[in-house]
Amino acid sequence: MDNYGRDRDVLDRFEARARSADLVCFDLFDTLVIRPFAKPTDLFSAMRGALPPGIDAAAADFSTLRIEAERAARADAHRRGRREVTHKDIYTAFGAATGAADEVLAEIMALERRFELAAARADPQVIAVYRRLVDAGRRVVLVSDMYLPRALIDDMLQRIGIAGFEGLYLSSETDARKADGSVWPLIRADFDMAEDAAIVHLGDNPDSDGRAARAAGIDAFLLAAPHERPDRSPRLRPGGSHWLPASFAALAGQQRIDDGDAEAAYWRRLGYGIVAPAALAMAAFSLAAARRFGAERVHFLARDGLVFKRAYDILFAGADAPPSHYLWASRRCLNLAGMAELGDADLDFLVSGLTPLHVHEYLARIGLDPGRDDVHAAVTQYFDGGDRTVANGHEDGNLRRLFRDLQPQIRAIADAERAPLLRHLDEAGIMSARSLVVDIGWHGTMQRALIGLTRHHAGIDPALGGAYFGTFRRAGETIDGIALDTEGFLFDRGAPQNIVGLIRECVEIPELLFSAPEPGISRIDEVDGELVPIRTPAGADEARRMAIATIFHDCVVDCAAALAGLVTEDDLLGLKDVVIARLDALLRRPGADDLRHIGEMPHADSFGGCRYRPLVPSTERLAWGGLLPTYRTAYWKRGFRARLKRRQRLGLALEDAVSRWR
């Protein structure tokens, strides 16, 4: 049984036994109260970036010094006949070891307490059991071998909503500990309980919560210890010695979700392993870019910018950060509303997409009714019907000629959609405030469309910068007189090439990872004086993607909420190499689970979501002659090759060689 199943079983048995016990005890730290760390001492590592100047000399190894100071304080307390130390005792020993001045010691001690408060939150499964027992009228006490002062613990418990207990036993206050069993006679005496009274206890430490408690006649139940909880799947391996990457694995393990849904479990691992570190890092990058650009507002573009916005809002709430805004936008609504006379760039957009579509699908996705007499008449000039499939819109001259003939109808749609869109952009501050747009990437297309739209149709040249997860070379080009001011996090304007090559393995996978749990936006409309986004219809394929995106967003929100107040911007930006390494493992060295779950994900490559096809086509029935054509249309070509059987891989190589020879 894994830790998830074991802990669930322990909690079930503990709750059942507690309902008939005379007294119920909960260990505090790492049981009822959890922190977003792989090990408790990671809190000291997290403090490093916030240490005061007076401790600079020791900052590089603060965690070790702090651990050694506690060890020295405990040795001194033992010599004096005391069981426990206080927080002040520890920092007295720290001062003796480092020579830090008293005022610096006081500042560091206050900093540690602030970090303890910021890090603490209730374990969701344990607090549920706790509250049910309190509501049922059971007598509950909290017990902790802890050096922190009572006032701080009271504040902590109040902040995270732990109430209803009848006693709080802190070793720093009572000098009685779980570790040597001395706290249990004290509790029995305080509650006037006989030796045979039934006391049940829930904790995590095999010694102090387990063996010592049982030796004192306590019915003890043990959860997995903190070092056993982190999710150790390959997608969550820490990478490096910094404390932060390991925290994402710890947070994944703390959820203890075991609902029997293997698919949801897979997406959660990706959520904690890749999406959350990347989204939090991207939030910090967006803030840094906004400051460099002098932005007054940060606009996160629908839809892929939403996950970055959620991290940004949680991490930097109350900080000196420009306010954020979720900008309703899409390639369709921005590009179509900006059309006047159809130029080559407009036609490129109208015929875009890699998946073959029917003629009527090309028309319907921009709002043209194929059944209208004038539209139907135009179609029949070039095609034998609207259900004719166009294999490659970019290479089909008839499709381009059709759109040119329909220019008046297209302009009418553009004119109708433009006014509410411009109002939305104006109300958001795009036209009046120096702004930064944030999105996943890749070419700066929507940023360019925003500038062109406001420049040509509102007479305003907006001060608009861009921050992206990555940008290809095209983002740095001047197109239609528009040069973009952009920054890319993983790669910028096509450099470095090794990271560009990594993402080009399958850009659709990062797009899936950062997608939003909402349908696409077709246009902005005005309803009863209020602006509303008009969404594209969501079928079964889109509903599946949105369900997965919901899991990803939940992971990001959980991590951002747990780490807010603990991480610095530099900590978050330092996740870049971790994100690259984990993306590299996923895209270039996929496992069987990756091929099964991601490979079968449906994807629509063109705007409007007309047609979906899997990232990796089925390889089950592929034989000679069909391997190379199918490979060429696969979004994730490395994933396609990985799914082939040995005979099929040889066949693909032969088909490719024959094709080259011809």
Side-chain angles (χ1 to χ4, degrees), residues 472-598:
F472 294 131
R473 183 177 300 169
R474 185 175 172 83
E477 297 174 358
T478 299
I479 301 174
D480 295 333
I482 299 173
L484 301 181
D485 189 334
T486 66
E487 293 186 59
F489 176 49
L490 289 194
F491 57 101
D492 187 31
R493 305 185 184 206
Q497 278 294 318
N498 63 318
I499 308 302
V500 173
L502 168 62
I503 298 301
R504 284 200 182 277
E505 289 278 346
C506 185
V507 296
E508 293 80 10
I509 291 178
E511 288 171 359
L512 168 66
L513 297 178
F514 301 120
S515 63
E518 59 185 36
I521 295 172
S522 176
R523 67 185 191 279
I524 311 300
D525 207 350
E526 189 173 313
V527 179
D528 297 329
E530 297 292 326
L531 295 176
V532 294
I534 305 302
R535 305 277 183 179
T536 54
D541 288 332
E542 182 69 354
R544 181 183 176 194
R545 182 204 60 75
M546 289 192 293
I548 292 167
T550 297
I551 293 173
F552 289 157
H553 281 234
D554 288 346
C555 295
V556 169
V557 168
D558 181 50
C559 292
L563 294 167
L566 301 173
V567 288
T568 65
E569 292 171 41
D570 286 343
D571 287 335
L572 295 169
L573 293 172
L575 290 168
K576 178 177 178 177
D577 289 343
V578 173
V579 172
I580 290 171
R582 292 181 181 179
L583 282 173
D584 186 272
L586 175 63
L587 294 172
R588 289 177 168 158
R589 300 186 301 281
D593 274 356
D594 303 319
L595 296 172
R596 181 169 60 256
H597 294 291
I598 293 181

Side-chain angles (χ1 to χ4, degrees), residues 59 70 99 153 237 249 265 270 295 337 367 380 386 535-536 544 588 606 621 632 643 659:
E70 183 174 340
I153 302 299
R237 285 174 185 160
L270 280 190
T380 56
R535 305 277 183 179
T536 54
R544 181 183 176 194
R588 289 177 168 158
S606 60
R621 300 179 184 277
R632 285 173 171 169
R643 291 184 75 168
S659 173

Side-chain angles (χ1 to χ4, degrees), residues 640-659:
F640 178 85
R641 292 195 301 269
R643 291 184 75 168
L644 294 176
K645 297 173 183 174
R646 184 173 181 275
R647 183 185 303 174
Q648 290 174 313
R649 288 196 293 273
L650 291 172
L652 176 61
L654 285 172
E655 285 188 38
D656 184 50
V658 170
S659 173

Side-chain angles (χ1 to χ4, degrees), residues 232-541:
R232 303 191 186 282
S233 69
R235 295 287 168 255
L236 283 153
R237 285 174 185 160
S241 58
H242 196 278
W243 65 273
L244 184 53
S247 284
F248 293 97
L251 287 164
Q254 288 172 0
Q255 291 303 303
R256 293 197 189 90
I257 297 174
D258 184 21
D259 52 14
D261 187 340
E263 181 170 358
Y266 171 80
W267 298 119
R268 272 194 297 272
R269 286 195 294 273
L270 280 190
Y272 281 101
I274 298 178
V275 182
L280 269 62
M282 187 62 193
F285 179 75
S286 301
L287 177 57
R291 288 173 173 158
R292 286 190 290 268
F293 187 70
E296 300 168 70
R297 295 190 183 189
V298 180
H299 299 275
F300 293 85
L301 299 183
R303 296 174 287 168
D304 296 341
L306 180 59
V307 71
F308 305 140
K309 181 182 187 299
R310 287 184 165 164
Y312 180 97
D313 289 346
I314 294 170
L315 290 168
F316 306 121
D320 181 21
S324 74
H325 180 262
Y326 187 49
L327 194 71
W328 295 328
S330 70
R331 288 186 299 142
R332 184 211 175 277
C333 77
L334 293 177
N335 283 280
L336 188 59
M339 290 181 185
E341 301 296 328
L342 291 188
D344 289 341
D346 296 323
L347 287 170
D348 285 343
F349 175 74
L350 292 173
V351 303
S352 63
L354 301 175
T355 301
L357 300 177
H358 292 150
V359 173
H360 68 75
E361 290 175 315
Y362 278 103
L363 300 175
R365 68 183 186 171
I366 63 168
L368 283 171
D369 181 1
R372 267 178 48 175
D373 291 343
D374 57 339
V375 177
H376 177 71
V379 170
T380 56
Q381 292 292 315
Y382 302 103
F383 301 98
D384 54 12
D387 58 355
R388 169 74 178 273
T389 297
V390 177
N392 187 327
H394 281 288
E395 298 177 0
D396 196 296
N398 281 339
L399 187 61
R400 289 175 177 269
R401 285 187 281 273
L402 171 61
F403 279 124
R404 283 199 183 278
D405 287 355
L406 291 171
Q407 180 168 289
Q409 293 90 334
I410 294 172
R411 286 183 61 181
I413 294 172
D415 291 344
E417 294 187 8
R418 188 178 304 123
L421 175 58
L422 287 174
R423 178 186 159 192
H424 172 55
L425 299 180
D426 186 34
E427 291 179 356
I430 289 286
M431 300 184 192
S432 57
R434 190 170 179 84
S435 299
L436 185 83
V437 294
V438 179
D439 199 7
I440 185 174
W442 308 101
H443 305 287
T445 306
M446 290 208 283
Q447 181 183 351
R448 201 181 304 274
L450 282 166
I451 294 172
L453 183 66
T454 54
R455 178 183 293 176
H456 298 307
H457 297 285
I460 294 172
D461 206 354
L464 195 63
Y468 299 94
F469 190 62
T471 59
F472 294 131
R473 183 177 300 169
R474 185 175 172 83
E477 297 174 358
T478 299
I479 301 174
D480 295 333
I482 299 173
L484 301 181
D485 189 334
T486 66
E487 293 186 59
F489 176 49
L490 289 194
F491 57 101
D492 187 31
R493 305 185 184 206
Q497 278 294 318
N498 63 318
I499 308 302
V500 173
L502 168 62
I503 298 301
R504 284 200 182 277
E505 289 278 346
C506 185
V507 296
E508 293 80 10
I509 291 178
E511 288 171 359
L512 168 66
L513 297 178
F514 301 120
S515 63
E518 59 185 36
I521 295 172
S522 176
R523 67 185 191 279
I524 311 300
D525 207 350
E526 189 173 313
V527 179
D528 297 329
E530 297 292 326
L531 295 176
V532 294
I534 305 302
R535 305 277 183 179
T536 54
D541 288 332

